[in-house]
Amino acid sequence: MGRAGTGGAARAAAVAGPPLLLLLLLTRSPPATAGDHRKSVVGLVSEHFSQAPQKLSSYSWYGSIRLFHFRVPPDTVLLRWLLHMSWDSGTPCTDVEITVHFRHGAPPVINPLGTSFPNNTIQQPSFQVRALLTSMLLDNTSVNVSHPAPGDWFVAAHLPPSSQKIEVQGFAPTCAYVFQPDMLVMRAMEVSILEPDVPLPQTLLSHPNYLKIFVPEYTQELLLELQGCVSSGSPGCPVRLTVGGATLPSNFQKVLTCTDPTLSCRLLLPSPPWGRWLQVTAESLAGPQVSVAFIAQAALTACRPWSMTFQRLLRNSPNQSHDTSVGQLSPGPAHQGLGRSSGVGGGTFCLLSFPVMREDIDTVSVRFQPMDGISVLVRSDAPSLLRLRLDTGMDSGGSLTITLRVNKTEVSGDTLVVACVNAASAFLSFNTSLNCTTAFFQGYPLSLRASSPVANLIIPYPETSSWYLSLQLLCPESPGVCEQAMVHVETVLYLVPCLNDCGPYGQCLLLRRYSYLYAGCSCKAGWRGWSCTDNSTAQTVAQQKVAALLLTLSNLMFLVPIMLSVQRAFLVEASVYFYTMFFSTFYHACDQPGEAVLCILSYDTLQYCDFLGSGVSTWVTILCMARLKTVLKHVLFLLGTLVIAMSLQLDRRGIWNMMGPCLFAFMIMAFMWVQRCRHRHQCYPTSWQRWAFCLLPGISMASMGVAIYTSMMTSDNYYYTHSIWHILLAGSAAFLLPPREEQTEPWACSQKFPCHYQICKNNQDELYTVT
């Protein structure tokens, strides 16, 4: 049976398997020289695959994970993942727990936040390991899987869910956690092919023997049998067979242990995977010096399908009497039996096959429809089968949705339509079991009756394979009623990127890992979950409107600095404040996650203008306080605006886009104030009233705004804290604006309000301050 385990910093996580085989496979033999028989006995080669490292992110939605896509080659007997975790460029980091998920066939379906899934959604668990990355423990972690299934394998890694705090980029040092997986495989070069009904002698020594058998389509049963088992040094038949490949998280490998040499050792597999090679590993349970000989034999029981479209073509062909190739065909199976016996016997068909048309609509978007229409004929004597081809390698990144409908009048009484959805092979044993379990896959059951004529099933990230929908009519209480009954079941079969396009409170986004595309839902307005259907933390419509009003109407505080600027003849500053107020208002009206949304321009344009206005308004306010000459001030206004616009284009959310120009403007202001203090031999501004009632309140409001913006904003309080930031920013500008630069009437130098000191001229045309 398959084995999965971890080493290094992670705890051991394993699916039961033979430890002797694992130790033998992990011990790499030295290169064999000429005449060395170990190469022919072991027959294993190793291969190494790697992908570029990626920086991990805290989990908030599926797009936060880092996905790695590998392809395991056929005949692989051991798979080892080496997980490298480190910090980037020596930045001091705190200890963190990294979670790594594994899955075969499709990306892992994970739910670290514990949110709810939509109704009728299959919640497939993922195999995961957790590794603690600390400064004291920098070991790599390894995960071993013996007898892995070939094909696509996916590894997803992420940090723990993040706090709701909104981090300002560049304000505080950030820590980058880097993750890189390596895949090492050991492949068997000497694999014996086990043909149906052909005995294959085998001899076991200290190393296992590897076999494989091809399972054709429409195989109903596979019988593996060991005969004539002889051991040279121990009683009984110490042989163990491991059939199938290990998958994560589920594992349906079959293990057959033979002990009695007189009895034949058999393993019967119903509905084995169709159209693929099946791995078989034989290993000796005796000592290393003991040889075991046996004969392996396989028998296939074929399922004879009745093709409904083939029979319809026979009946509707206008040239049927003139076409000798068709005229000689009597109504019969579209496919002949496979293997030695039909198993059903007497020309009886085991299923009704309905060919399905696959229509590719868009990226990760496919529609399946039966060739004869949307309805499928369901009977009681044999299952009706539809095949959904999801084997292109690009179909596993969406969600498979299956909807079945039936007319209530056709399923009256105790009539029941049962259905199973399986991957790799179809479920055909409705008369004996309804658990939808095939040889190596646990299917998903559905049922239709008069009380519930509609059934739905959603499979997120279906594994790469051919999927089969099997339906049959049953009458549990009165079987005789169903003998001649027929029911038409309407089928709606889709592969969509996101279920219902993530609803009204989510956005379906296509994510890419090199050439592999997969989809995920980014939720808003407090909605969460796989398809943004979890409303446990959702905002009501009233809360959304209140949030929109707070963020937009708080910008009206800029009317105060606008009016003061106009009154004091600072027309350039007034236009900047108006620009900031206008675009901040409509940016936040467009930025709302819910229904209260108004966008007059594109979102990206409004965001850029809002950030530009915030930076330029701070820039012009500080330069205005510096009391520069008019020409020089306007030149700096223009140059600073151009520099801020350029920096925002490079990195819109960088804190230094605003802090850099503002610090430079503050240095200019401080230099000018120091020069005035030296020239006048007194502190500038000279009025204590202006310091007490204007400068200190303005500086305090600006400091509080910066503190709130950089350290207090979270996703939950964003609507309130950011509105306070708007008020404090506009209020500080109103307090810090100086009065008019020049006054010609001498009586205007007398002021009633301490904030409005004047700069007057004396007889020598020198500037001085009066209060």
Side-chain angles (χ1 to χ4, degrees), residues 418-545:
V418 292
C420 284
V421 181
N422 292 75
S425 60
F427 180 77
L428 305 175
S429 306
F430 286 101
N431 294 328
T432 59
S433 174
L434 294 178
N435 59 6
C436 298
T437 302
T438 58
F440 301 102
F441 190 84
Q442 175 61 54
Y444 310 114
L446 295 170
S447 62
L448 299 170
R449 52 171 57 91
S451 59
S452 56
V454 180
N456 297 293
L457 181 66
I458 303 169
I459 304 176
Y461 294 162
E463 64 182 72
T464 300
S465 183
S466 289
W467 287 73
Y468 297 90
L469 173 61
S470 311
L471 305 99
Q472 192 165 346
L473 188 63
L474 297 179
C475 297
E477 298 181 1
S478 53
V481 178
C482 290
E483 291 182 356
Q484 302 298 327
M486 292 185 297
V487 176
H488 292 83
V489 177
E490 180 182 346
T491 61
V492 180
L493 312 170
Y494 278 95
L495 177 70
V496 294
C498 302
L499 184 63
N500 296 328
D501 287 333
C502 302
Y505 296 101
Q507 183 180 8
C508 183
L509 299 177
L510 279 179
L511 311 171
R512 183 173 63 90
R513 175 56 181 163
Y514 294 120
S515 60
Y516 179 77
L517 294 176
Y518 58 104
C521 286
S522 177
C523 307
K524 54 187 179 181
W527 289 76
R528 305 188 304 168
W530 189 262
S531 300
C532 301
T533 55
D534 188 338
N535 60 353
S536 58
T537 60
Q539 298 176 351
T540 63
V541 177
Q543 291 174 329
Q544 296 174 23
K545 292 181 179 179

Side-chain angles (χ1 to χ4, degrees), residues 536-574:
S536 58
T537 60
Q539 298 176 351
T540 63
V541 177
Q543 291 174 329
Q544 296 174 23
K545 292 181 179 179
V546 169
L549 291 176
L550 283 175
L551 289 171
T552 54
L553 297 183
S554 60
N555 288 283
L556 296 179
M557 185 67 182
F558 277 96
L559 290 175
V560 177
I562 290 174
M563 291 186 297
L564 289 176
S565 300
V566 173
Q567 179 187 6
R568 301 174 189 180
F570 297 141
L571 300 183
V572 176
E573 290 84 342

Side-chain angles (χ1 to χ4, degrees), residues 201-515:
Q202 292 288 302
T203 301
L204 290 177
L205 294 173
S206 58
H207 300 287
N209 286 7
Y210 304 105
L211 304 86
K212 63 180 180 180
I213 179 173
F214 184 78
V215 181
E217 294 185 0
Y218 300 104
T219 299
Q220 192 169 12
E221 290 179 346
L222 169 61
L223 177 62
L224 293 177
E225 185 176 2
L226 299 186
Q227 300 174 351
C229 185
V230 178
S231 177
S232 63
S234 62
C237 182
V239 177
R240 176 166 51 196
L241 290 184
T242 303
V243 184
T247 59
L248 297 177
S250 59
N251 187 12
F252 292 91
Q253 284 179 309
K254 305 300 181 182
V255 177
L256 175 64
T257 302
C258 303
T259 56
D260 194 339
T262 61
L263 300 177
S264 60
C265 195
R266 296 184 176 183
L267 178 62
L268 183 63
L269 299 175
S271 298
W274 292 353
R276 63 177 65 179
W277 290 94
L278 187 61
Q279 302 177 7
V280 180
T281 302
E283 52 188 324
S284 174
L285 301 179
Q289 303 300 326
V290 179
S291 63
V292 180
F294 61 90
I295 297 176
Q297 189 168 354
L300 300 176
T301 301
C303 174
R304 304 180 64 194
W306 178 283
S307 179
M308 302 302 292
T309 301
F310 181 78
Q311 299 304 323
R312 186 182 297 272
L313 290 175
L314 285 179
R315 294 194 302 268
N316 298 337
S317 176
N319 300 325
Q320 181 175 350
S321 59
H322 304 285
D323 192 342
T324 58
S325 61
V326 177
Q328 294 176 355
L329 290 175
S330 60
H335 297 80
Q336 298 298 321
L338 305 172
R340 181 174 53 186
S341 60
S342 65
V344 185
T348 304
F349 305 104
C350 65
L351 61 87
L352 305 177
S353 177
F354 288 82
V356 177
M357 177 186 66
R358 172 188 166 118
E359 180 183 359
D360 292 280
I361 301 176
D362 204 342
T363 305
V364 201
S365 182
V366 182
R367 178 173 62 187
F368 299 95
Q369 184 174 351
M371 296 291 291
D372 295 334
I374 61 174
S375 62
V376 177
L377 179 65
V378 180
R379 300 169 56 177
S380 62
D381 53 350
S384 299
L385 182 65
L386 287 80
R387 179 179 182 178
L388 312 179
R389 293 185 176 271
L390 297 175
D391 51 4
T392 64
M394 299 298 294
D395 302 325
S396 57
S399 295
L400 178 62
T401 63
I402 298 176
T403 302
L404 305 179
R405 296 187 182 91
V406 67
N407 194 336
K408 294 183 179 180
T409 59
E410 296 186 1
V411 289
S412 58
D414 66 333
T415 305
L416 178 67
V417 176
V418 292
C420 284
V421 181
N422 292 75
S425 60
F427 180 77
L428 305 175
S429 306
F430 286 101
N431 294 328
T432 59
S433 174
L434 294 178
N435 59 6
C436 298
T437 302
T438 58
F440 301 102
F441 190 84
Q442 175 61 54
Y444 310 114
L446 295 170
S447 62
L448 299 170
R449 52 171 57 91
S451 59
S452 56
V454 180
N456 297 293
L457 181 66
I458 303 169
I459 304 176
Y461 294 162
E463 64 182 72
T464 300
S465 183
S466 289
W467 287 73
Y468 297 90
L469 173 61
S470 311
L471 305 99
Q472 192 165 346
L473 188 63
L474 297 179
C475 297
E477 298 181 1
S478 53
V481 178
C482 290
E483 291 182 356
Q484 302 298 327
M486 292 185 297
V487 176
H488 292 83
V489 177
E490 180 182 346
T491 61
V492 180
L493 312 170
Y494 278 95
L495 177 70
V496 294
C498 302
L499 184 63
N500 296 328
D501 287 333
C502 302
Y505 296 101
Q507 183 180 8
C508 183
L509 299 177
L510 279 179
L511 311 171
R512 183 173 63 90
R513 175 56 181 163
Y514 294 120
S515 60

Side-chain angles (χ1 to χ4, degrees), residues 567-694:
Q567 179 187 6
R568 301 174 189 180
F570 297 141
L571 300 183
V572 176
E573 290 84 342
S575 61
V576 171
Y577 297 147
F578 179 80
Y579 177 94
T580 303
M581 180 187 69
F582 179 85
F583 282 104
S584 180
T585 299
F586 285 100
Y587 164 64
H588 287 290
C590 184
D591 189 41
Q592 296 307 302
E595 298 180 0
V597 180
L598 174 63
C599 297
I600 61 173
L601 296 173
S602 67
Y603 176 84
D604 187 73
T605 302
L606 291 173
Q607 185 188 66
Y608 181 86
C609 293
D610 173 58
F611 289 7
L612 179 63
S614 299
V616 175
S617 61
T618 307
W619 168 259
V620 300
T621 301
I622 299 176
L623 288 181
C624 185
M625 296 172 61
R627 289 294 191 181
L628 300 171
K629 292 184 178 180
T630 304
V631 175
L632 178 60
K633 182 179 71 171
H634 290 167
V635 169
L636 290 178
F637 280 178
L638 180 59
L639 290 178
T641 302
L642 295 177
V643 171
I644 295 174
M646 178 195 67
S647 62
L648 289 177
Q649 182 65 28
L650 295 175
D651 186 6
R652 187 170 300 182
R653 296 188 177 275
I655 187 63
W656 289 106
N657 295 334
M658 183 183 297
M659 294 295 295
C662 292
L663 289 177
F664 181 72
F666 182 79
M667 293 174 60
I668 295 177
M669 184 195 73
F671 176 79
M672 295 301 299
W673 282 19
V674 170
Q675 286 294 101
R676 288 188 175 89
C677 290
R678 292 178 58 187
H679 180 72
R680 300 176 182 182
H681 304 289
Q682 59 180 344
C683 183
Y684 182 85
T686 58
S687 171
W688 69 267
Q689 290 93 339
R690 172 153 180 85
W691 281 99
F693 299 108
C694 299

